[in-house]
Structures are given as C-alpha cells and as structure tokens.
Amino acid sequence: MSKGKQRQPVSRDNNAVDRRNFLKGAAVGAAALATKPPIVDAQQSDNPRPSALPPSQAELTSIVGPSTKQASYHFVENPASDFMVDVIKSLNLDYITTNPGSSFDGLHESLINYGGNKSPELLTCLHEESAVAMAHGYAKIEGKPMMALLHGTVGLMHGSMAIYNAYADRVPVYIMAANHHDPAGGVNAYHSAQDLGALVRDFVKWDDETLSVGRFAQSAVRAYKIGMTPPMGPTLVVIDHKMQGEPIDGKSTLRVPRLTMASPPQGDANAVREAARMLVNAESPLISTQRYARTPEGIDLLVELAELLQAPVTGSERVNFPWRHPLYGRGGFGYEPDVILALEVNDMYNQARAAQRTGAKTISISSVDLFHGSNIHDYGRYAEVDLSIAADAQATLPALIEEVRLLLTNGRRRELKARGEIIAAEHALNHEQSRIDAAYGWNASPISLARLCAEVWGQIKHDDWSLVSWQNFISQWPGRLWNIEKHYHYIGGQGAAGIGYNAPASVGAALANKKHGRLSVNIQCDGDLNYAPGVLWTAAHHKIPLLTIMHNNRAYHAEVMFVQRQCAERKRGSDRAHIGTTLRDPNINYAKMAETYGMYGEGPIEDPNDLGPALQRALAHVRAGEPALIDVVTQPR
C-alpha cells in the first residue's frame, strides 16, 4: 500500500449488505435483547422447557470482564485489523488454519469481510494442534508456509506439540497468536500472558510481540522471511487484542513493507573444493541425506552428483533422491564406505563414530550449524566429522558438482562406471527381495501391512499420487514396493516423533495437493488419529480429497513391544503387556467415526480379499473430490 493511500475493502456483489451498517444494526438489536429478554411461548414447543434467563452481571463479568454501567457503542470505520489483512495478503498466503478465539475476533472479522476470505482463506479446525500440524504438512508439499492463527495462552499451549514437531522437522509454519496485553479480568486473564511467546520460544526460530500496527507490519514480514531462510522453522508473531480494533486515520502513513527473501547460504569455496577432492579419490563413497532437498531441483542436483561419482545415496526421511534409482541405497552387501558425505543430516554421531573405527572420512554440509538453541536437544549429539561446511546443502551442491567435474579424468570415469554397475546390481537384488518378502502372510487375517500397501499401489500407480503419511510404523512397505521418485511422493514424518501429527498433517498436505490435481493417500495409525479425530470434519467441511486407510492394529504397538521387552528382561512373562498399551474392549469403529464427521467410511475390514474392492469404492469418492476412510484391521507391524 502506498504512503497515505486510503485502503479499500475487497469488492463484493451488489446484493451484499455493507458490513459496517450491518454491524450497527446488529449491535442495536443485541442491546434491545440485552435489556428486554424475549418471551417464549412454551405452547409453541413440542417439548416445553422453561424460558432461558439472561445471564446475571456477575456471570457476564466472569466471562468477559467488567463493563461500564451504561452500554456505549462505538463504531470503527477503518480498524487496524484491516491494515493487518493488507500485510498478511502481501505474503501470498493461501490459507489460515484456526480454531476461533475471542482474542483475535477483530482480525477474524477483517479476514472474512474486508479480506473476502480469499488469499488467505480461513480453514476451521477443531483443535489448535491440528491447525498447526495441517500447516506443517501443507508446507512440505507446497514449499511455503500456511498460517496458523491461535488464541492466547490456551490456544498456543494446545498447538505447542505441533509447533515442536515442525521445529525439529525444519519446516516453516507461520504462526500468529493473539493476546490481551492488559486483560480486564475474567477468562481473558487466564488466556493472557506478560510474555506469550515465552511458552514456545525454545522451539520457534524467531518470535516477536507487537503492540502497534507499524511494528506488526515489520514483524509479520520479518517472521515470514526468517522462517523461509535455511534452516527453516516455525516463527511466531504475537498480536494484541486491543490493537486490532483501533481506528486508523485515512491519511495514515502506514505502509506494507516489501518482502525480500534471503538467498540460502552457500559453502566456502575452499571447503567445497576439498570435499570434491575427497569424494573423487574415494574408493567407496556414500552420500547420506536427511532433510536435504528443499525443492524438486534439489533432487535433480543430487542425481547429477551421484551419477558423476557413481556413489550410492541413502536416506528415507523425505524424497531427496529417487528410490528406484540404481544408486539408491547403501551400496549393497559388503559395501564399506571410506568417505561419507552427509547432506543436512541432523545427528551424525553414529556415522562419525563408525567411520573413525574403520578409518573412513566424513563430510557434513548442513545449515543447522548456523542455528542452534540451547534447551531442546533436536540438534543431536556432537559429531567429530572431518570436514564441516556450515551452509545450505542444496545451495552448495552446484559448486560441489562443478568441482567434481573438474577433477574427473576419463580414466577415473571408467573406474567409477564399473563401481556403479556393481551398486546397481545390488539395488535390483534388494528390490526383488522386497517383493518376495511381501508375499509372506499374504492371506493372513488380520491383514498384513505388505498386502495392504501392495493393494493400494496396484490401484494408484497410474495416478499422480502422493503419500502424505509417515511410513515407519508400517514397516516402510511403500518405500519397498512403490516407485517413489518425486518430492511429493513422500513427505516424511513428524520431526520430533510426536504422536498426533499424522492425521492433521495429511489433511494439510492433501489440501496442497488438491490444486495440483494429485491423489493423496494417508495410511493412518489408529493411536495417532485418536489424538485429534476432529480433523476428519475439517477435511469433509472444506472438501479436501484424501484417502485415509486405517492401520488399525488396536494398540500403541511400539509401547506394547517396549513393555514386552521389560517383562522379558525381568523374567515376569508378557501376558499382561497389553494393559495400558492396547485399544480394545471396546474396539473403535473408525468407519462410523468417519461417517459421524461427514465423510465416506467403510469397514472394519478383516478379510484380505475384501480389501481391494473396498479401496476401489473409497477411491471413487476421493477422485470425485471428497475425503474417504477405510478401516482395515491389520497385523501389528
């Protein structure tokens, strides 16, 4: 917005009621109701009940705080929250996830009326943890943040687990939390804080509290920029409730700051040259990845480097490298690396220790070295690597590729080609072994996870598909059977291994996939869904197409195994290990749960021969633009 320019609300159709005049009328009507409660004729009801009594002054005060004796109505024609919407719109945010709260009612009203509920559009969530986790999943598909709007202390604390997951996963989630900086008492006092950001400061990348619209404009843009600069992470802007309703003079000099993104940091040229020398001279190099590829271009760069070196690439946290590529894996049986290149690997402690025992060398390129907190141990243990390059790995790879090209002679290329052929043969054997392993228990009931994943693959492999759920609790069968090669084919897990992430993150990722016409698949653990099942309603309400297939083993099975191990170590027998770890008696019917939230549900399915037809029926709903859920009773792992 240019200096001094009067802001105008977004255009509306001619039939729309002017919101300011409507609010004036609504306020007068509300005043009349407050002074004269309506008379209800009990005879008009089939089930007569006493007329509702108006709340007492004490009850009102306990909820909204004290008020003046005589009501006063003040209409704001140009509220600060309209300008806040201008700032938010400048960041090109598509959506805002929120569970409604009174501390941001001014901004809420401006978003839906002044902002037209478009770019960004409000998405109604039934829990703040779901709101943040949806933004987490969305960002991993779309490559940019979604905003989560939270209410005071209680909303921020509800969302804190999901914020921590995003922080540990290096994912940008853009968070605003509203606060009553000077609460008048009542519930607002409980929902406010002197320093609201302190609740999550240990696991956000940056936060600020704004008490003026000028400061808000700067902080809102800065938060986006910091969150998107590697290493990425969630950022928080705290906004004051009173500030949202303050009028702005039409001649105000307020302006929306221009967003200028920072270039990702690249590695030192001399260090990159030394890394290239070590890799070209290595007899058995290994490239290890974790959160390396920020964009699809990152995958292409890594393919180019791996093929130049004919070196295997490992890492299944996300799609950093095509999983069916002949060089994917650890090189096969007997392959002992003598140089390990780690790209955005969070914790290299074990790899560095193992390398020291065998005389191998280690290289780390990671932006995490540029940013560390002190309380949370998400950065892992200290690793004694041989060459550490503090930089964004994807931004550094073009220079590394160029240095490798300069060092490769024709003779060395022939030697590397022979090594690559051996690695490719081992990769093919491993893939075939996975197909053989999948046949075990094919007709078992409960249904094997291998068969479940194989049946799904058979029905989606010709679609433009996206697996939006974590695969570690399903024995990584998608990675072993599916052709995973694009960045959106698999987006990894929680970051901090916090349960309750998978269901809402899958809905957020499916929303991002929706505009690209992709088919989103979520193989959903039962324990995780029960943390926040209300996200199923959000998917149904906003018509987010997503196939959810329940991995219903009726337990927190990892914990079952932990308790069983303790029982064995103490020689007490494991017959009671189900206590406190299983979800039985009664069994939960997830198909009915889905139907309750307004989406298609089917199951529980226990006969493996019923699985394929059920998937086909559910996929018909998803391909028509709706969410659907299939409840499958499965083997534990």
Side-chain angles (χ1 to χ4, degrees):
M1 185 185 70
S2 61
K3 181 176 179 179
K5 182 180 178 181
Q6 177 74 33
R7 293 183 309 283
Q8 298 295 328
V10 296
S11 61
R12 299 187 297 268
D13 61 73
N14 294 330
N15 294 325
V17 179
D18 181 84
R19 70 182 179 121
R20 304 301 180 195
N21 291 332
F22 171 79
L23 290 174
K24 291 178 182 179
V28 172
L33 288 174
T35 57
K36 185 178 181 181
I39 299 174
V40 179
D41 186 352
Q43 295 180 353
Q44 294 177 357
S45 173
D46 294 331
N47 184 21
R49 296 174 181 270
S51 299
L53 297 175
S56 67
Q57 187 61 46
E59 289 170 329
L60 283 172
T61 300
S62 70
I63 297 172
V64 300
S67 61
T68 58
K69 291 183 179 180
Q70 184 173 358
S72 175
Y73 302 101
H74 177 65
F75 300 100
V76 180
E77 298 294 339
N78 197 18
S81 56
D82 284 1
F83 173 71
M84 294 168 72
V85 170
D86 290 336
V87 176
I88 292 169
K89 279 181 172 289
S90 76
L91 301 176
N92 194 31
L93 297 166
D94 297 320
Y95 300 100
I96 297 176
T97 53
T98 189
N99 182 260
S102 60
S103 59
F104 56 82
D105 53 3
L107 179 58
H108 188 154
E109 190 275 339
S110 288
L111 285 164
I112 60 178
N113 284 318
Y114 175 79
N117 197 33
K118 294 180 180 178
S119 301
E121 174 189 350
L122 280 180
L123 303 175
T124 309
C125 298
L126 307 190
H127 196 286
E128 288 87 352
E129 185 173 357
S130 295
V132 177
M134 279 183 64
H136 185 172
Y138 177 91
K140 289 205 279 188
I141 289 289
E142 196 62 15
K144 69 175 186 177
M146 177 194 286
M147 178 175 154
L149 181 57
L150 309 181
H151 166 59
T153 55
V154 291
L156 191 57
M157 285 190 280
H158 271 310
S160 61
M161 180 64 247
I163 296 171
Y164 180 44
N165 271 331
Y167 176 80
D169 204 19
R170 315 296 178 215
V171 172
V173 174
Y174 190 82
I175 307 159
M176 282 191 188
N179 188 38
H180 289 268
H181 188 72
D182 185 18
V187 172
N188 290 341
Y190 297 106
H191 291 186
S192 303
Q194 179 176 319
D195 182 7
L196 189 62
L199 295 176
V200 295
R201 187 161 295 141
D202 280 332
F203 43 92
V204 294
K205 191 177 178 187
W206 183 82
D207 74 283
D208 190 26
E209 182 164 2
T210 60
L211 299 178
S212 68
V213 287
R215 176 62 176 263
F216 168 82
Q218 294 185 25
S219 296
V221 176
R222 188 189 302 272
Y224 188 99
K225 179 176 181 176
I226 291 175
M228 285 290 287
T229 302
M232 297 179 183
T235 52
L236 169 67
V237 177
V238 177
I239 58 177
D240 181 49
H241 177 264
K242 181 181 178 182
M243 176 185 74
Q244 300 167 48
E246 292 176 344
I248 296 176
D249 189 333
K251 297 181 180 181
S252 169
T253 59
L254 288 170
R255 60 181 297 275
V256 177
R258 178 167 54 90
L259 173 64
T260 305
M261 298 302 297
S263 298
Q266 299 181 34
D268 173 75
N270 290 328
V272 170
R273 193 172 297 118
E274 174 62 14
R277 184 194 66 78
M278 294 169 66
L279 290 165
V280 170
N281 292 337
E283 292 303 315
S284 51
L286 174 68
I287 302 175
S288 177
T289 65
Q290 188 175 9
R291 298 183 178 94
Y292 151 74
R294 293 183 284 101
T295 67
E297 290 73 22
I299 300 174
D300 296 337
L301 287 169
L302 187 51
V303 169
E304 185 177 359
L305 178 63
E307 291 179 350
L308 277 174
L309 294 169
Q310 291 296 299
V313 179
T314 187
S316 60
E317 178 65 31
R318 297 180 191 165
V319 183
N320 297 299
F321 191 80
W323 291 10
R324 288 278 186 90
H325 192 286
L327 293 173
Y328 181 70
R330 298 192 63 86
F333 179 76
Y335 190 88
E336 293 291 340
D338 59 350
V339 173
I340 300 172
L341 170 64
L343 303 177
E344 300 293 350
V345 175
N346 207 55
D347 187 346
M348 280 197 65
Y349 180 82
N350 287 333
Q351 290 187 75
R353 289 283 300 272
Q356 289 169 0
R357 289 193 295 268
T358 62
K361 300 296 183 181
T362 50
I363 306 165
S364 172
I365 306 178
S366 176
S367 59
V368 176
D369 286 332
L370 300 170
F371 175 82
H372 278 306
S374 56
N375 186 31
I376 305 298
H377 291 178
D378 66 293
Y379 45 78
R381 295 160 292 181
Y382 179 77
E384 299 178 43
V385 299
D386 295 285
L387 178 60
S388 179
I389 302 176
D392 177 68
Q394 180 173 320
T396 302
L397 231 61
L400 180 59
I401 290 170
E402 184 61 28
E403 292 295 337
V404 168
R405 286 189 183 279
L406 292 173
L407 293 172
L408 284 176
T409 63
N410 289 335
R412 187 57 176 154
R413 286 177 186 271
R414 287 192 293 271
E415 294 171 353
L416 300 186
K417 182 181 178 182
R419 179 173 70 202
E421 290 172 350
I422 296 172
I423 294 170
E426 289 287 333
H427 173 85
L429 286 175
N430 287 337
H431 178 62
E432 183 60 27
Q433 187 61 52
S434 293
R435 289 169 54 87
I436 294 170
D437 293 345
Y440 290 105
W442 187 257
N443 294 314
S445 178
I447 296 170
S448 76
L449 292 169
R451 177 155 186 179
L452 185 153
C453 293
E455 293 270 12
V456 174
W457 176 240
Q459 298 205 32
I460 70 167
K461 61 184 178 182
H462 298 302
D463 291 277
D464 188 16
W465 57 272
S466 176
L467 178 63
V468 292
S469 54
W470 197 41
Q471 66 161 357
N472 285 35
F473 282 157
I474 54 174
S475 299
Q476 299 185 328
W477 279 112
R480 297 158 72 180
L481 299 176
W482 301 9
N483 184 16
I484 295 176
E485 57 182 356
K486 298 178 180 178
H487 79 282
Y488 57 82
H489 277 170
Y490 178 63
I491 61 173
Q494 313 96 322
I499 305 302
Y501 153 93
N502 199 87
S506 294
V507 173
L511 178 63
N513 281 323
K514 178 181 177 180
K515 76 174 185 180
H516 301 287
R518 298 175 189 144
L519 176 65
S520 298
V521 178
N522 166 28
I523 302 177
Q524 174 65 48
C525 294
D526 53 348
D528 179 278
L529 179 61
N530 284 296
Y531 274 61
V535 77
L536 298 177
W537 179 87
T538 298
H541 177 71
H542 292 286
K543 295 180 174 55
I544 301 172
L546 170 65
L547 174 63
T548 295
I549 306 157
M550 293 305 301
H551 168 26
N552 183 4
N553 60 16
R554 294 173 174 163
Y556 294 102
H557 192 72
E559 280 63 37
V560 173
M561 294 187 293
F562 294 152
V563 176
Q564 287 174 334
R565 183 177 62 188
Q566 290 293 322
C567 293
E569 289 178 356
R570 299 172 184 187
K571 298 181 180 180
R572 292 177 177 172
S574 60
D575 58 309
R576 297 166 66 85
H578 66 280
I579 298 174
T581 57
T582 55
L583 300 173
R584 307 193 304 244
D585 192 23
N587 295 328
I588 301 170
N589 190 316
Y590 296 99
K592 289 189 180 297
M593 179 187 290
E595 292 172 352
T596 297
Y597 284 117
M599 59 193 289
Y600 177 82
E602 186 173 342
I605 297 169
E606 300 185 52
D607 186 338
N609 295 318
D610 295 335
L611 179 57
L615 288 170
Q616 190 173 20
R617 289 188 290 270
L619 281 167
H621 287 267
V622 177
R623 291 182 176 120
E626 306 170 12
L629 181 147
I630 298 296
D631 184 6
V632 183
V633 181
T634 53
Q635 296 285 339
R637 284 292 176 91

